[in-house]
Structures are given as structure tokens and as C-alpha cells.
Amino acid sequence: MSNQSKPVYLKLRDQIAAAIIDGRYPEGEMLPSVRALAAEQGANPLTVAKAYQQFQNDGLVEVQRGVGMYVADGAARVLRNRERDAFLSEEWPEIRERMDRLGIAPAELLTDA
Amino acid sequence: MSNQSKPVYLKLRDQIAAAIIDGRYPEGEMLPSVRALAAEQGANPLTVAKAYQQFQNDGLVEVQRGVGMYVADGAARVLRNRERDAFLSEEWPEIRERMDRLGIAPAELLTDA
DNA sequence: CGCGCTGTATTATGGCACTGAAGCACTATT
DNA sequence: AATAGTGCTTCAGTGCCATAATACAGCGCG
């Protein structure tokens, strides 16, 4: 659903955010360079820069021009809380409404880990 | 999430599907005309037609040119089963993964009715 | 200094999806 | 026949996305 026809820069943004939350991009560590990530993902450097842009504006990554971009302290916590609130207030109600309409019992969703 | 920056014709499509599943557009009954629904929703008739298009291709609505479009027999059941399967196989795994990442326990969200 | 690595800005271009306006084709009713 | 209601086709416009080529600016190191 989230990985299909969505703009590339948004997919990259989500992917980076997940990596920060999971600690795969640890706080204080340097993020992959624009060109490096672009090459790795087969995307354009400009597109990667656009994905990084949003994190800069929010102060979640610190830019050292000529050096690289670093994950700010507390970025993982802020990011997780923000996405958590957004999920609960916006996405979950609609998901729940859909489950009710489709007749999906909550129990059957919890069987697997 | 589903009601923000999503194309109008897709929002209309979901809305119509929900109405069919819920029986607000009963089987055998005539659907609102393209122009009528467009006026009601403040959209362009063509956009509404595009939303209806997908149901025609799947045989869920029957078109009588010059007359109108009617909900096919069994449309509600087919539609509900299809969306149900799609939800379980495609959407839910991603939702589950996100909830795990954000530290949300599924059980506490499913307890209330 | 010179080289190589960072991010950034500019401009241009192609593609694609969405939306819209006008008109055509068909049917039922009068 | 005339009218008014249907869906449908065609043409055109708009905006976003992605890419490309190029150049600029800051930093570290030999």
C-alpha cells in the first residue's frame, strides 16, 4: 500500500525515518551522502536531497556543509512519537472503520506474532 | 490518510464501494447518475465517470446506455470479499509492521467495540 | 595549495496523472 | 417528432514528479 505508486522522495523519506527509529542510522552518526544513497537506490541525487530536506527543516538531522549530515540527538524519539500520534489520530480510525465494514474480527489479526 | 491528498476519483470509488457494501446502494437499484453525483460532491462529471469505470470493468455494475447504471447481483458480496482479502494480505502486514516500529500494542486498540 | 569529498542552487526537459469543457450517442417519455 | 435524461468520447490544460547537466560553496587531508 505504501510502496506502490507513491512519489520516490516520499518513499525514501519513510524509509529513512524507519531506519532512524530502528537505530539503523544511530544518533550522532553520519547519514549516507546524497550521492551515495542515490546510487544505492538507483535514484537521482536531487530526489534524495528532497527526501533529506524535510528532516533538516525539523531539526532531526544536522548539516555540516562540506562534511555530511548527522542524525540529531533525540531524533529517534521525536520521530517515533510524532508518527505514533499521527497514526493513532488519523490512520487508525479509518482502518478500524474499514475492518468493521469488511467484517474482520480483531481476534484473527493477533494470531501471528 | 485516505481523505487528504488522494485523487478525487479514487476517493469517490472507495466511497461508492462502501455504499454498495453497506447496502445504501442496494443491488438491482439504479446508481446516482454521473451528473447528479458530480453535482452533489462538487466534482466534475468526468471524474465521477472515471470512478464508476472500474466497477463496470469488473461487472459489478451494469450499464444501460441512455438509462443509467445498476448495481449487479452479488456485487456487495464480491466487493466485500475482495476488499477483505486485499486488506488482510496487503495492508494489514504493513500496518502491523508500523505498529511494531512505533511501539503500539495491537491488543489495546482492538479491545473497544 | 590541490584534490576529493560533502551539500546546494539553477535551469531545462520529459512524462504522467488529474481535472476540466464541449459535444456525441443512446433511451425513455411525452 | 420533440425533449430531457442517461453514459461516453475527444481535445485540451494544468501541475507534480523525476531526471539531467552544470555550476557553486564548504570542509578535510596530503
Side-chain angles (χ1 to χ4, degrees):
Chain A
M1 198 261 270
S2 306
N3 302 342
Q4 47 185 19
S5 58
K6 184 175 196 172
V8 176
Y9 81 98
L10 284 182
K11 284 192 287 191
L12 290 173
R13 186 184 60 77
D14 291 348
Q15 168 182 332
I16 295 162
I20 292 178
I21 291 177
D22 290 346
R24 299 199 305 277
Y25 292 161
E27 301 187 357
E29 290 293 308
M30 181 174 160
L31 289 163
S33 78
V34 172
R35 291 174 177 83
L37 188 55
E40 174 189 331
Q41 296 289 332
N44 190 288
L46 258 177
T47 305
V48 176
K50 189 172 183 179
Y52 277 144
Q53 188 70 39
Q54 326 224 348
F55 296 107
Q56 304 177 29
N57 299 339
D58 297 346
L60 296 175
V61 307
E62 294 168 356
V63 182
Q64 291 190 20
R65 188 160 180 148
V67 180
M69 306 175 73
Y70 294 82
V71 182
D73 285 353
R77 185 180 49 80
V78 170
L79 216 44
R80 192 181 62 241
N81 287 344
R82 176 184 307 176
E83 294 216 354
R84 184 188 149 98
D85 291 345
F87 177 84
L88 290 176
S89 65
E90 298 174 16
E91 300 187 41
W92 180 251
E94 300 187 13
I95 292 170
R96 189 57 189 273
E97 180 188 348
R98 262 193 94 190
M99 288 174 58
D100 289 344
R101 183 192 324 288
L102 299 177
I104 297 176
E108 48 182 319
L109 296 177
L110 298 176
T111 52
D112 47 353
Chain B
M1 201 264 266
S2 305
N3 301 343
Q4 46 186 18
S5 59
K6 187 173 190 172
V8 175
Y9 80 99
L10 284 182
K11 285 192 288 190
L12 290 173
R13 187 184 62 74
D14 290 347
Q15 169 181 330
I16 294 163
I20 292 178
I21 291 176
D22 290 347
R24 298 200 306 276
Y25 293 162
E27 301 186 358
E29 289 294 307
M30 180 174 161
L31 289 164
S33 78
V34 173
R35 291 174 178 81
L37 188 55
E40 174 189 331
Q41 297 289 332
N44 190 286
L46 237 181
T47 305
V48 176
K50 189 171 183 180
Y52 277 145
Q53 187 69 39
Q54 326 225 348
F55 296 108
Q56 305 176 29
N57 299 340
D58 296 345
L60 296 175
V61 306
E62 293 168 356
V63 182
Q64 292 188 20
R65 187 160 180 148
V67 181
M69 306 174 72
Y70 294 82
V71 182
D73 285 353
R77 184 180 50 80
V78 171
L79 215 45
R80 193 182 59 244
N81 287 343
R82 175 184 307 174
E83 295 218 351
R84 183 188 150 96
D85 292 345
F87 178 85
L88 289 177
S89 66
E90 298 174 17
E91 300 186 42
W92 179 251
E94 299 188 14
I95 293 170
R96 186 59 185 275
E97 180 188 349
R98 256 192 99 191
M99 289 173 63
D100 287 345
R101 183 194 325 287
L102 299 178
I104 299 174
E108 47 182 319
L109 293 178
L110 297 170
T111 50
D112 49 351

